[in-house]
Amino acid sequence: MTSAPRRGVLRTVREDLAAARRGDPAARGDLENAIVYSGLHAIWSHRVAHRLWHARGLPGSRVVARILAQATRTLTGIEIHPGARIGRRFFIDHGIGVVIGETAVIGDDVLAFHGVTLGGRGGGPGPGSKRHPTVGDRVVLGAGSAVIGGITIGDDSVVGAGTVVTKDVPPGSVVTGVAGTARPRSGHEGVPEL
């Protein structure tokens, strides 16, 4: 769940297109998906902004990263802070209203639906504080769910639609409700076929 080693752009785009096909049963073809899926546009733009955010020795790169992130938000309705760390094959289905904060960390093969918030809880002790959640690998974030604070959602978990999560969720859980309560998963709840 750490920053992945550099991969070729084409390989990354292919992985993202495959994630769209896997995450959305309505996905038709790669060309159409690449043109019309705002979730893909937002993640591709984020990858550029994230590199700019972490560029050393490039004056003004953080300002440019923030401008790119805001332009992407205007075009897609998806707001991803350039500091957020996002793993491979992350797919945002429908996308509108998704907000991902600066210190959020998202693992590999995560599926997020519209209206998901990975938000902070108040101000931390400084700019380097972990204010936003860490989402494990193969997690599904249901529509309108809010994961708030420097908490962890364990691998292979599902956060139900409309759920508000403010405490750590163990791996392999389904969490539902306001405030969310976790229980062990049974079977493949909410997980698209890989």
Side-chain angles (χ1 to χ4, degrees), residues 11-185:
R11 178 178 172 193
T12 300
V13 167
R14 281 190 203 113
E15 282 186 349
D16 290 338
L17 290 168
R21 288 191 311 273
R22 192 170 49 252
D24 184 0
R28 297 184 193 283
D30 288 346
L31 179 61
E32 179 180 339
N33 297 343
I35 293 169
V36 301
Y37 274 40
S38 61
L40 289 172
H41 302 156
I43 191 64
W44 291 337
S45 175
H46 170 75
R47 290 205 179 105
V48 173
H50 185 74
R51 286 221 174 145
L52 287 167
W53 187 256
H54 291 287
R56 302 272 186 229
L58 185 58
S61 62
R62 285 197 167 194
V63 172
V64 174
R66 290 299 302 265
I67 291 169
L68 177 57
Q70 290 304 301
T72 302
R73 181 183 93 166
T74 299
L75 293 171
T76 66
I78 299 168
E79 181 173 348
I80 306 174
H81 191 284
R85 292 187 358 223
I86 298 177
R88 296 170 67 181
R89 298 174 300 274
F90 175 54
F91 179 60
I92 303 170
D93 194 8
H94 294 288
I96 197 77
V98 170
V99 177
I100 300 172
E102 176 182 8
T103 62
V105 178
I106 300 173
D108 296 336
D109 301 302
V110 171
L111 173 61
F113 289 91
H114 58 281
V116 166
T117 298
L118 300 180
R121 183 189 292 172
S129 67
K130 180 75 169 110
R131 302 178 313 278
H132 301 92
T134 296
V135 176
D137 296 336
R138 299 169 305 280
V139 170
V140 177
L141 301 166
S145 60
V147 183
I148 307 298
I151 62 173
T152 299
I153 305 296
D155 294 347
D156 303 301
S157 291
V158 175
V159 177
T163 298
V164 176
V165 186
T166 58
K167 295 179 181 169
D168 288 345
V169 173
S173 296
V174 172
V175 59
T176 57
V178 179
T181 56
R183 66 171 170 76
R185 278 181 71 179

